[in-house]
Amino acid sequence: MSNLGQKRILLVEDNAGIHKEFYKAFDTQAHDPLLDATNKMLFGKKTQAAKHLDESPAVLLHSAYRGREAVDMVRKALLASQAYTIVFMDVHMPNGLDVVETVKQLWQVDPELQVVIFTAQLNYSWEKITHQLAGSSNFLVVRRPFDVHELRQMAAVLIRKHELKDQVRYELETVENLASEHHTQIEQITAEMQHLATHDPLTGLPNRILLMDRIQQAMAQAKRYGMHAGVLFFDIDNFKQINDSLGHNAGDQVLKEVALRLRKVVRESDTLARLSGDEFVAVFVCQPSEEHFIAIAGNFMRQLSQPYKLKDHTVSLTASIGISIYPAHGLDAVTLLKNADAALYKAKEERNTCLIYRGDFNKHILQRMNLAGTLAHAIDRHELVLHYQPVMDLKTEKILSVEALLRWRHPTLGLLSPLEFLPVAEEAGLIVPISHWALRKACTQAQSWVTKGLQPIRVSVNIAMLQFKKENFVETVEQIIAETGFDSHFLELELQENMLIGKTQEILKKMNELRNMGIHLAIDDFGIGYASLSYLRQFPFEKIKIDRSIIQSMRDRPEDAAVVEAIIALSRSMNLQVVAEGVETFGQLDFLRSQASDQVQGFIFHKPLDEPAFRRLLTKLPEGSITL
């Protein structure tokens, strides 16, 4: 039997920054309630060895920077009876043994060693490594980045697996001397091991290992009966914001609820699996028609769009789905899953949509990766710019304020809108510096208009969620105002609904501090996110901006027209201003006038203008044409 106390893990990676991330993740002082709950769920029935597993095992993490160094460390540890349980290894092993040769030599020293191979490359192909290491079941291949919770949970599961294997080995060695009643216990432990190896501990759904086998079975069935097999790859839109705002426990509650809802759609003959995080996969065999798979995806999306109740919060979520179909989009499980993932990646750009794989999607993923690399230097190269779109008084048709809108003047792709690059900025961890740049630039340019003798005008700037969640956000805003000399009474910050869930008192404190500085606050994209109308009473907003998608769908969806009518009526009763975004037709304008809406913003009055064009507009405006 192996020691159930401190477990030894080896990280093989030539990047010192990754080592720091792992040491932080395995800080033994950190308490992970979800990890405790996972252990209890997996090993609730205690046995002689399992009774010690209620608490997360202590972990001792060691570092190696080259493959040969790792082999020597594993050999020495084994000789000292202090064997490593897990080796985490980057797929890229420069200056020496490559990853496959390193793993083979590690297993020559310790065949029981479990290996986790990881990479940060989205389009990395694992087929070669999987083929070369196919003789062993003691390795996993995963994709970075993974958060602290996922990393600790993965390590805990592998450690438990290792301990269970030791326990089964011990039981088998002594089985001849055991009475017949112990036979049931051995079968139970073996079943737990098999289930652990093939199922997700949080939701109980099949994991990647079992999923790949089920895809193979679906392809064989489709081929036999002249049908098609479909792989539907799910991702919950903006799920990270749930974890960031309400914590991982709330996120896990959502994931379990998602699994329950998805089970309502799948048939007994279908497969539903969870890969990692908020990624789910469903496998279906249907008639050879894309419409069948689109209809199935629609059923999934309707189930997932129903509100989720989390303690004191009710949130609405949507899902994006990528679909690949056998045999058109692949003849093996790996290719089908990869192409469904590529379709999902494309669908996430629009969110709340499903897309069937097309041949250029993988090329699109590479373009997104290249875009992220270029975006990292956009500020230094002065490629980011602001455009300005006026907000109009619907009664007087005078300009009330102007919204600063971010654009990227890409050196080869031309002028890009935020929808084309802000999701990339979020994935690459660039959203905060870019958002700070936009705030500073808007204040600088607005102050320059005043300096040139133009009429003062209120300028609104969109604030990113991660930017607002920073502890020093208020201090950063105060510093920008001081450095630019801009009058804070002419600054308006637009917050999105999803920023309002979480620690209400901390959020309210920030907003009151901003208001005390004279800054105006507006809630942006209202009507499509997390917030309920009760948020309007809790937080000191002055203005509501109705999301453009609701305005533009009023003609075809009467229920959206009713939503706009209700928002305007409620806002009037609470003395809040209302801005209708995305107004482009006279029909929309007439409806808003009939509801006595306050303000509008859209192409029907002004398109977004670059700074010189907007400055010329200000210059031409007669005195009194701007209302503050």
Side-chain angles (χ1 to χ4, degrees):
M1 296 287 290
S2 66
N3 179 19
L4 295 177
Q6 193 171 51
K7 302 300 174 184
R8 296 161 63 86
I9 295 177
L10 180 61
L11 171 62
V12 189
E13 166 63 58
D14 65 329
N15 186 328
I18 303 300
H19 286 265
K20 291 181 180 179
E21 291 181 13
F22 271 71
Y23 277 96
K24 181 179 179 181
F26 291 108
D27 178 9
T28 57
Q29 301 302 317
H31 179 61
D32 192 336
L34 175 59
L35 201 57
D36 295 344
T38 301
N39 290 335
K40 185 174 181 181
M41 178 187 71
L42 290 173
F43 306 98
K45 180 173 286 190
K46 299 179 183 178
T47 64
Q48 177 69 21
K51 66 182 181 180
H52 301 287
L53 298 178
D54 288 336
E55 297 181 358
S56 304
V59 169
L60 183 63
L61 181 64
H62 288 167
S63 294
Y65 291 83
R66 297 289 185 271
R68 199 171 302 282
E69 178 188 2
V71 174
D72 292 339
M73 291 177 68
V74 169
R75 181 181 293 107
K76 293 176 182 178
L78 193 64
L79 292 174
S81 298
Q82 296 180 335
Y84 290 101
T85 304
I86 309 169
V87 171
F88 285 89
M89 183 180 307
D90 195 334
V91 72
H92 296 293
M93 299 291 295
N95 303 324
L97 301 177
D98 65 14
V99 65
V100 172
E101 186 58 31
T102 300
V103 173
K104 289 181 177 180
Q105 292 195 22
L106 288 174
W107 283 341
Q108 288 178 0
V109 176
D110 184 356
E112 297 300 319
L113 190 62
Q114 300 179 102
V115 178
V116 178
I117 304 171
F118 59 86
T119 183
Q121 295 186 14
L122 295 176
N123 64 336
Y124 191 86
S125 175
W126 298 101
E127 288 90 340
K128 182 178 180 180
I129 289 180
T130 303
H131 176 73
Q132 291 177 306
L133 301 180
S136 173
S137 62
N138 279 349
F139 78 100
L140 293 173
V141 288
V142 297
R143 189 175 67 198
R144 289 190 60 244
F146 29 66
D147 61 18
V148 169
H149 156 71
E150 291 174 335
L151 188 59
R152 286 170 56 84
Q153 186 181 34
M154 183 191 304
V157 169
L158 291 176
I159 288 171
R160 298 300 185 265
K161 175 185 173 185
H162 189 270
E163 291 173 346
L164 283 172
K165 289 180 67 175
D166 282 352
Q167 184 176 341
V168 171
R169 189 182 300 111
Y170 172 79
E171 297 288 350
L172 291 175
E173 290 173 354
T174 59
V175 69
E176 294 181 357
N177 300 321
L178 295 176
S180 59
E181 61 268 19
H182 291 165
H183 183 67
T184 302
Q185 182 183 5
I186 295 173
E187 289 183 340
Q188 203 169 39
I189 294 173
T190 303
E192 288 178 354
M193 262 187 58
Q194 292 174 342
H195 190 273
L196 176 65
T198 57
H199 288 78
D200 167 50
L202 180 66
T203 63
L205 295 176
N207 62 13
R208 182 184 294 268
I209 296 172
L210 185 55
L211 171 66
M212 302 304 283
D213 180 65
R214 296 286 178 83
I215 295 177
Q216 294 285 2
Q217 293 179 27
M219 289 190 299
Q221 181 182 352
K223 184 176 181 179
R224 185 180 303 116
Y225 297 107
M227 304 177 78
H228 283 180
V231 176
L232 281 66
F233 207 137
F234 298 78
D235 187 288
I236 308 302
D237 297 330
N238 297 318
F239 177 76
K240 186 176 183 297
Q241 296 176 358
I242 295 289
N243 284 335
D244 292 343
S245 300
L246 298 179
H248 288 282
N249 287 340
D252 287 338
Q253 184 180 341
V254 169
L255 292 175
K256 288 189 284 188
E257 176 64 22
V258 166
L260 290 174
R261 296 185 186 188
L262 294 178
R263 282 192 178 104
K264 296 178 181 178
V265 180
V266 298
R267 303 165 300 186
E268 187 174 347
S269 59
D270 304 323
T271 296
L272 176 64
R274 180 190 175 210
L275 295 192
S276 64
D278 61 326
E279 294 181 339
F280 294 82
V281 174
V283 183
F284 288 80
V285 176
C286 291
Q287 295 294 330
S289 169
E290 290 187 354
E291 286 73 16
H292 283 283
F293 296 105
I294 293 292
I296 292 170
N299 291 337
F300 279 121
M301 295 171 72
R302 280 189 291 274
Q303 282 286 341
L304 297 178
S305 65
Q306 299 300 314
Y308 296 77
K309 296 187 181 300
L310 303 172
K311 294 183 180 179
D312 300 329
H313 301 280
T314 299
V315 300
S316 296
L317 297 174
T318 57
S320 300
I321 303 178
I323 304 172
S324 66
I325 302 173
Y326 168 85
H329 304 143
L331 300 178
D332 60 84
V334 171
T335 302
L336 283 174
L337 192 61
K338 181 182 70 174
N339 289 341
D341 192 11
L344 169 64
Y345 199 83
K346 180 69 173 176
K348 285 169 63 177
E349 294 181 7
E350 300 181 25
R351 304 188 187 278
N352 193 27
T353 189
C354 65
L355 289 177
I356 294 178
Y357 174 77
R358 296 291 179 261
D360 61 346
F361 283 1
N362 286 317
K363 179 181 178 181
H364 178 75
I365 291 177
L366 293 175
Q367 290 175 341
R368 285 281 293 261
M369 294 175 61
N370 293 333
L371 203 64
T374 309
L375 183 57
H377 306 287
I379 295 178
D380 295 337
R381 294 172 179 171
H382 306 290
E383 294 171 355
L384 295 180
V385 295
L386 293 181
H387 284 197
Y388 296 89
Q389 187 175 35
V391 176
M392 310 297 294
D393 186 309
L394 192 54
K395 295 179 181 179
T396 66
E397 296 192 1
K398 292 183 178 181
I399 295 177
L400 292 170
S401 61
V402 63
E403 180 179 0
L405 301 170
L406 187 62
R407 299 289 187 267
W408 179 14
R409 191 177 289 115
H410 192 278
T412 58
L413 301 178
L415 195 65
L416 302 181
S417 74
L419 292 177
E420 296 176 277
F421 67 88
L422 283 189
V424 177
E426 291 178 354
E427 293 172 4
L430 299 171
I431 191 66
V432 173
I434 287 176
S435 299
H436 283 341
W437 176 90
L439 178 59
R440 182 183 299 275
K441 189 68 173 180
C443 291
T444 300
Q445 291 185 334
Q447 179 59 30
S448 72
W449 302 333
V450 176
T451 303
K452 293 175 182 177
L454 299 177
Q455 301 177 61
I457 187 170
R458 183 186 297 181
V459 178
S460 63
V461 181
N462 290 279
I463 300 300
M465 180 175 181
L466 289 179
Q467 181 187 20
F468 183 73
K469 293 294 183 181
K470 291 287 185 181
E471 291 185 5
N472 65 340
F473 173 70
V474 175
E475 290 78 3
T476 300
V477 174
E478 191 173 19
Q479 181 182 359
I480 289 174
I481 290 174
E483 292 176 355
T484 60
F486 186 57
D487 187 342
S488 59
H489 292 83
F490 289 98
L491 177 62
E492 180 175 87
L493 302 183
E494 297 188 11
L495 310 180
Q496 294 187 349
E497 296 178 68
N498 52 23
M499 300 181 189
L500 306 180
I501 62 173
K503 298 178 180 179
T504 301
Q505 293 305 315
E506 292 184 10
I507 296 171
L508 187 59
K509 180 176 180 292
K510 284 184 180 180
M511 296 177 72
N512 285 331
E513 289 175 350
L514 293 169
R515 286 293 304 274
N516 291 337
M517 294 165 56
I519 295 173
H520 305 274
L521 299 177
I523 182 169
D524 193 22
D525 299 335
F526 191 81
I528 62 168
Y530 300 101
S532 64
L533 297 177
S534 62
Y535 283 94
L536 302 180
R537 295 193 299 268
Q538 295 182 49
F539 299 107
F541 288 110
E542 302 175 30
K543 181 184 295 184
I544 297 174
K545 303 190 74 173
I546 305 175
D547 186 74
R548 61 185 294 113
S549 64
I550 300 177
I551 299 297
Q552 294 179 352
S553 63
M554 290 190 303
R555 175 180 174 182
D556 300 321
R557 289 170 51 91
E559 58 269 31
D560 282 350
V563 168
V564 173
E565 184 177 353
I567 293 175
I568 293 174
L570 177 69
S571 302
R572 188 182 301 117
S573 69
M574 300 178 66
N575 294 319
L576 295 172
Q577 302 173 38
V578 179
V579 179
E581 296 183 295
V583 180
E584 298 180 357
T585 68
F586 287 105
Q588 295 166 355
L589 198 62
D590 290 341
F591 175 81
L592 293 169
R593 281 200 172 101
S594 72
Q595 299 301 316
S597 178
D598 301 316
Q599 304 169 28
V600 295
Q601 180 181 7
F603 286 6
I604 197 166
F605 284 108
H606 292 283
K607 294 183 178 181
L609 304 171
D610 61 20
E611 194 277 334
F614 182 72
R615 181 165 21 94
R616 289 193 296 271
L617 174 64
L618 288 180
T619 304
K620 295 177 182 178
L621 290 176
E623 190 70 26
S625 58
I626 297 178
T627 303
L628 298 179

